[in-house]
Amino acid sequence: MLLRHTPQETIERKALTINPAKTCQPIGAMYAALGIHNCLPHSHGSQGCCSYHRSTLTRHFKEPAMASTSSFTEGSSVFGGQANLVEAINNIFTVYNPDVIAVHTTCLSETIGDDLTQMAQKAKDEGYVPAGKKVIYASTPSYVGSHVTGYANMVRGMVDLLAVSTTAKKLDQINVIPGFVEPSDMAEIKRIAELFGKKVIMYPDTSNVLNSPMTGKFKMYPKGGAKTEDIALSGDSKVTLALGRFATGIGAKLLDTKHKVPCELLDLPIGLAATDRYVEMLKKYSGQSVPESLMEERGQLVDMITDMHQYFYGKKVALAGDPDQLVALTEFLISIDMKPVHIVTGTPGNKFERRIKELTENLPYKVNYTVPSDLFTLHQWIKNESVDLIIGNTYTKYIARDEDIPSIRFGFPILDRVGHQYFPMAGYKGAMRLLEKILTCLLDKQDKDAPEEKFELVM
Amino acid sequence: MNQNTTISPEEIKDELLRSYPAKVAKKRAKQIIINSVDKATDEVPEIMANVRTIPGILTMRGCSYAGCRGVVLGPTRDILQITHGPIGCGFYAWLTRRNQTKPATDKDENFMTYSMSTDMTENEIIFGGEKKLKAAIEEAISIFHPKAIGIFATCPVGLIGDDIHAVAREMESLHPEVNIFGFSCEGYRGVSQSAGHHVANNKVFTDVVGLNDTVKEGKYKINLLGEYNIGGDAFELDRIFEKCGITVVSTFSGNSTYDDFTRAHTADLNLVMCHRSINYLAEMMEKKYGLPWFKVNFIGAYDTAKSLRKIGEYFGDKELKDKIEKVIAEEMIVVEEIKKDVTTRTTGKTAMLFVGGSRAHHYQELFKEMGMKTISAGYEFAHRDDYEGRKVLPTVKIDADSRNIEELKVSADPEKFKERKKASELDSLKANKNMEMNDYIGMMPEMDENTLIIDDLNHHEAEVLIEKYKPDIFCAGIKEKYVVQKSGVPVKQLHSYDYSGPYAGFVGAVNFYKEIDRMVNSKVWKYVKAPWEKETQLAATYACD
């Protein structure tokens, strides 16, 4: 057994996290910053942070994940990181020539109290920021929240330092802020929005950055990413659709308070109902009817659900992941009569707990969730009440193997399967892909385990 | 592919430095060396190494925590490891280094699949984290009942003044059956992973090695130091040792156990694989317990044979030497057969290696066996002695960053020191240059004239090298892999082996030959241009004609 020391009996833990269902803020900030065109994310801390984040992003996407570091030593940790950051900014613009440097902090620079606003100004005053280039930044202490919080903070930094409002009257354009999802999902979310015929400003946008094509030529700044001039324009939009409140809420709200762009905080459009709500908002704010092509996609999804409902019905599922994804997944699974009985995230937050409560309190079965939690607890819950399927990141495969439960990869990080970069789970088509994965997994298991006389040809 | 090995290295060096600000260029110039070797003395030019990475320059390097928790202690399965810090560091060190491990039975302890952390939050940053650390240790003991616990400090721990060593002592006094020790491997210490190796060596030496005097059965007892069982390398070496009748008391630290560490001092010889990460332990064990050490390399079939012969030479026993020769002869049959086949396709191809503190040297042997040429190489976190040989140690400057890592004062243990060889025997072994007793010749003396040796290679320099030299294969780590492959050059990861292996020993050499053959002769790179793009090129050529 790979997790041979995990006992069935649970004891309360107050201090020790075992097998976390989250990681730290800076990696989320780095990922978000890669969603700006011609931007180099910069980690203000020890080299190890940057190295770990780049490695994890690279393993997940199988793509270059470019970012630089302030390379703190003991001296900088004592005297502050200003000299390192100012030198880094000069070196980055000279050697790597990005349009934007997106700096995020780490537990190290936060603990010593480095002030990024002042340091970025200092770099500018000393002439290290060429005309037209920008340094944006976000405070992302690793000891608060999780990678989702880091993503949210960097999105907020984009709004704060790149968005402007130029007209009193808002323009007929729609902002979309996607949560911490795959580049494939971001492209799908944008595609759906653009079907309504209005200008859509979406950021971050990591599509074509972290799923770029093989051309035989390395491009430090790939074709994709939200353009800074578009992000600037987002202050003039008539609405912001924020998809996933944990990853996008604070950015969207800042657009409202700073530039009077009202926001709609929505769930991630994963699954039927959440996608319906996204589409309804697009319909409302574009003033257009829902395009026929999108109706067809929706119809296909419903068709798939009705065709295969018998295989979903009553199946128990254990879920691990990030709050925005878990909210959407829980709602979707319940809607097709699956039973999400164990739900785990490492990201702290009362709002998440409340939302899961709302979604599950009237169900005729008990749903386990405590926030925050870890995969060790999830495993113990499974030992006490087994499930038919596990949905989570790659680390859940250790539980799946020990307990002989089928599992599908969903969330971050996925270190051992491909496809997530290219094929979305968001939107109607994405939901179909999710269902296909669930079905393949469950039916493969049935095929493998069925007695010979019960082995089915047609399913 | 073009083999642009005729370009002048001076020109390349200029090109590498051209786009840097003056201060950066000045520093990098000392870390980019055009190799030249005095064949009589093995003298090579001086290279600047183990110095700070320049802020903002995209480096391959990681931190002290990674070197300590990840590299040295990560591969051992039954020391329960708690990262004291915010969640990230513990998360990233969770199974990502591919250290394989195989407990003897289903019941034996294996904590490697568990990532444990105090998940420090703002509250602990402000009010101190010692209380939470103590509680975490209590919880870990009540759930897992380990015999040993290692505590690993992350950046904020040192800054807020948590004393992990005091916590370890206190908790051990409450739980005397558990050996609890802390590693001050905060990420800002030193200039790279290398500092963490040293921290790890020190603690394992003072708190673990020497606790158990039970001597393992066996005539020829060795420890293998600096072998981390990535992709099963240590399994393959264990197989070879067993076949030769050599007993491995402990491996540091691939597929290792705490108990093996505690009695490592009862072996009679230390073999050093990765000089950079573990030479401290070898030196300290020699002083305290009297175990001589020498450098080995089990990467490459010929170097494996050479290293085995050194062991035979050291023990000086004919029975052992004969057995070793027999094993080599047996093993080389398959090796030669595969090598003969693959070299028809690999001879003349070129490689670049930028990785680690030893691997960039070791793997050149494998490429040589395949008829391939290493045109440029460098380490990520090595010191001057790994480049130029240990003979330069007396002249290595100790800077502020190195001074932060404790240098233990070690003397002979009045009870446990045991002379393994008479002074005269040791002297004659030392006189034999091939033995490399207490020595490491370094990478540069074994590399060709005019090859470029680059320390702490960064992204910009890698791009220039790829463009100018167009090597057939580039060896690096995960961060570099897809960067280089986007340029159409295959990358072999030499940290994770791209999830294959083993590459050590005889079986490993064969695996590597086949893998490199696959990579440098793969047709997949030819698909980059679409058929119509090729037609356009052709048409353009005709039009010009």
Side-chain angles (χ1 to χ4, degrees), chain A residues 200-431:
Chain A
V200 174
I201 296 173
M202 184 178 83
Y203 61 91
D205 182 2
T206 56
S207 65
N208 234 321
V209 178
L210 288 160
N211 58 1
S212 71
M214 177 73 188
T215 60
K217 187 141 182 58
F218 169 76
K219 285 185 80 177
M220 183 131 178
Y221 309 106
K223 208 169 119 194
K227 304 232 167 28
T228 44
E229 54 271 30
D230 284 335
I231 301 176
L233 279 177
S234 68
D236 290 334
S237 297
K238 66 172 170 188
V239 70
T240 301
L241 305 183
L243 308 179
R245 62 196 70 210
F246 290 90
T248 65
I250 55 170
K253 282 179 191 157
L254 186 65
L255 265 171
D256 190 351
T257 51
K258 203 169 167 181
H259 299 296
K260 304 288 174 286
V261 182
C263 66
E264 296 279 0
L265 294 183
L266 304 174
D267 290 325
L268 272 177
I270 291 173
L272 179 64
T275 306
D276 282 347
R277 291 195 292 273
Y278 175 48
V279 169
E280 281 182 316
M281 284 295 162
L282 290 167
K283 177 171 175 287
K284 176 179 167 187
Y285 287 99
S286 67
Q288 306 292 312
S289 54
V290 177
E292 190 61 29
S293 63
L294 201 55
M295 286 300 293
E296 279 165 14
E297 287 171 25
R298 186 182 187 281
Q300 285 178 327
L301 170 61
V302 176
D303 192 55
M304 196 175 187
I305 295 170
T306 55
D307 290 348
M308 306 307 274
H309 181 251
Q310 70 187 86
Y311 300 103
F312 301 128
Y313 183 79
K315 294 286 192 306
K316 290 182 182 175
V317 190
L319 301 173
D322 301 334
D324 291 327
Q325 276 82 348
L326 290 175
V327 165
L329 268 183
T330 301
E331 184 187 29
F332 186 41
L333 296 182
I334 293 170
S335 76
I336 59 172
D337 289 323
M338 295 186 87
K339 295 174 163 179
V341 290
H342 311 305
I343 303 168
V344 155
T345 185
T347 300
N350 296 335
K351 279 186 189 153
F352 172 71
E353 204 160 355
R354 278 206 298 278
R355 192 82 170 86
I356 295 292
K357 185 161 182 268
E358 275 166 31
L359 288 168
T360 62
E361 63 189 343
N362 293 322
L363 294 173
Y365 50 88
K366 184 174 179 291
V367 177
N368 290 313
Y369 57 93
T370 48
V371 182
S373 192
D374 55 30
L375 297 184
F376 187 77
T377 298
L378 181 71
H379 192 179
Q380 292 188 307
W381 285 342
I382 290 173
K383 279 182 181 290
N384 285 288
E385 182 184 359
S386 191
V387 292
D388 300 293
L389 178 69
I390 299 172
I391 302 180
N393 70 19
T394 288
Y395 284 102
T396 59
K397 82 174 180 181
Y398 289 80
I399 304 172
R401 182 178 145 125
D402 273 7
E403 304 299 331
D404 191 23
I405 297 168
S407 69
I408 61 170
R409 305 285 180 275
F410 186 92
F412 180 83
I414 296 172
L415 309 170
D416 61 336
R417 296 290 188 274
V418 292
H420 52 91
Q421 313 90 324
Y422 305 108
F423 310 112
M425 294 273 200
Y428 300 122
K429 277 184 173 291

